[in-house]
Amino acid sequence: KRPDENTVYIDVDAQKDGYIEVAKERFDQRLNQTIGNFSLTFAKNYADKYLEKGRKVLIIFTPVGGTGFKGEHWGENDKLYLRMVDMVDSALKLNKNNKIVAYLWHQGEHDAYENRDLSYDGAKEFYDKHFTALFNRVREKYGKDVPFICGGFTPTFVNAYPTTSEAILDVLKEKMQNCELTEFVDTSDLQSNADVGCKDIYHLIAEETFMPDNNLEQSKQELLAEIDRRIEDKILEQTNADLLKKLINNADTLTEAV
């Protein structure tokens, strides 16, 4: 939905397929559901507010479901961490003007699940050790001036594994509070796909990540303003724009409007 030519993905399969695609909301075929995307929300907002003319935002999409520190996926010598570093380094080499604008971390559920038998203190000690090591490695390699942003879990997931979830979230919150150019994005009042009838407690619904305040009228105005910009840039014809505006104005939900 709503592809944006200023925002593109390089996915985890890029090593074997070598493709870059226009970024859009991700549809999970197994769940038959569009899932929320923390990185896409950030990229779209960055593109709207800060992107220089003629440039694009590249999302280097490296997360893999069902992975974590417990399974030895994101340690210094682990496969997924090394693949992430390789993909970032390759992107930086494509153009001398390329730069990292932020590092986004939205993982931890699988560690909460796999460590579900641990106490709060045990789970917190485990995650703090491994996350702090990753945080320090990223900052040492790419610089302390790169913002580091973490997202929380869905409330549905936290309710399913409260002790270990709270331990991990406290690690993330404390680290983000105590370091410069960091931010923790609170998701405690947002819905998961499970809340709207899908068997998925891990992912936020797409509407929540696209527009966290869930303000339909504000969202419509932003969409309409985007259409006007595309008319001015001669990307969109007036006839098509008028039809899109009519559909947006008549939408009853954010999903329909988008």
Side-chain angles (χ1 to χ4, degrees):
K1 295 179 181 179
R2 198 170 176 252
D4 184 345
E5 67 276 2
N6 288 326
T7 309
V8 293
Y9 277 133
I10 181 168
D11 211 334
V12 288
D13 291 332
Q15 279 192 333
K16 61 181 182 181
D17 296 330
Y19 71 89
I20 294 178
E21 63 179 0
V22 175
K24 56 184 180 295
E25 279 79 0
R26 303 176 71 84
F27 186 82
D28 191 308
Q29 296 285 353
R30 180 178 60 86
L31 297 171
N32 194 34
Q33 177 77 22
T34 300
I35 59 178
N37 192 325
F38 186 38
S39 62
L40 181 57
T41 303
F42 174 86
K44 284 182 178 294
N45 278 281
Y46 182 89
D48 288 343
K49 296 178 182 179
Y50 306 111
L51 189 63
E52 299 173 7
K53 189 173 182 179
R55 301 284 292 168
K56 295 183 184 298
V57 178
L58 174 64
I59 301 172
I60 303 176
F61 198 80
T62 64
V64 177
T67 66
F69 296 119
K70 178 74 171 178
E72 298 183 347
H73 299 108
W74 293 99
E76 183 175 10
N77 298 309
D78 294 339
K79 181 179 179 180
L80 293 184
Y81 175 78
L82 294 175
R83 177 165 60 179
M84 177 196 73
V85 169
D86 182 60
M87 292 171 70
V88 173
D89 289 348
S90 297
L92 290 173
K93 292 176 183 177
L94 291 174
N95 185 318
K96 64 182 179 67
N97 294 320
N98 285 354
K99 63 180 181 180
I100 303 173
V101 298
Y103 186 97
L104 310 181
W105 181 259
H106 201 196
Q107 300 239 118
E109 290 93 342
H110 209 65
D111 281 311
Y113 171 76
E114 289 200 325
N115 285 327
R116 60 192 180 279
D117 294 329
L118 292 181
S119 65
Y120 170 88
D121 290 339
K124 187 176 182 182
E125 180 181 4
F126 173 87
Y127 202 80
D128 183 55
K129 173 185 175 181
H130 293 282
F131 177 76
T132 298
L134 178 140
F135 178 87
N136 290 339
R137 284 197 304 272
V138 169
R139 290 226 145 164
E140 288 170 5
K141 182 171 179 59
Y142 299 112
K144 294 182 179 180
D145 57 339
V146 176
F148 199 110
I149 305 170
C150 294
F153 302 160
T154 71
T156 315
F157 182 86
V158 174
N159 289 336
Y161 305 99
T163 301
T164 50
S165 291
E166 293 294 348
I168 290 172
L169 292 174
D170 283 348
V171 169
L172 298 177
K173 291 174 185 176
E174 291 168 12
K175 179 63 68 176
M176 298 301 99
Q177 288 172 354
N178 295 326
C179 297
E180 295 182 353
L181 292 176
T182 56
E183 188 70 37
F184 178 81
V185 180
D186 184 17
T187 57
S188 60
D189 60 345
L190 304 183
Q191 289 183 305
S192 73
N193 283 322
D195 297 316
V196 292
C198 181
K199 295 180 180 179
D200 172 25
I201 66 174
Y202 296 90
H203 298 100
L204 297 165
I205 61 175
E207 293 94 326
E208 299 280 36
T209 52
F210 177 70
M211 195 64 61
D213 61 8
N214 208 23
N215 187 320
L216 178 58
E217 290 307 316
Q218 179 182 337
S219 303
K220 285 183 177 182
Q221 293 305 313
E222 292 184 0
L223 291 170
L224 294 172
E226 175 65 21
I227 290 175
D228 288 336
R229 283 194 293 271
R230 295 191 180 202
I231 294 173
E232 292 176 5
D233 294 338
K234 298 182 179 180
I235 297 173
L236 192 62
E237 294 183 359
Q238 187 67 54
T239 303
N240 293 332
D242 290 341
L243 176 59
L244 287 172
K245 286 184 176 182
K246 182 178 179 180
L247 293 171
I248 290 170
N249 283 321
N250 290 336
D252 294 322
T253 67
L254 184 56
T255 301
E256 292 178 12
V258 174

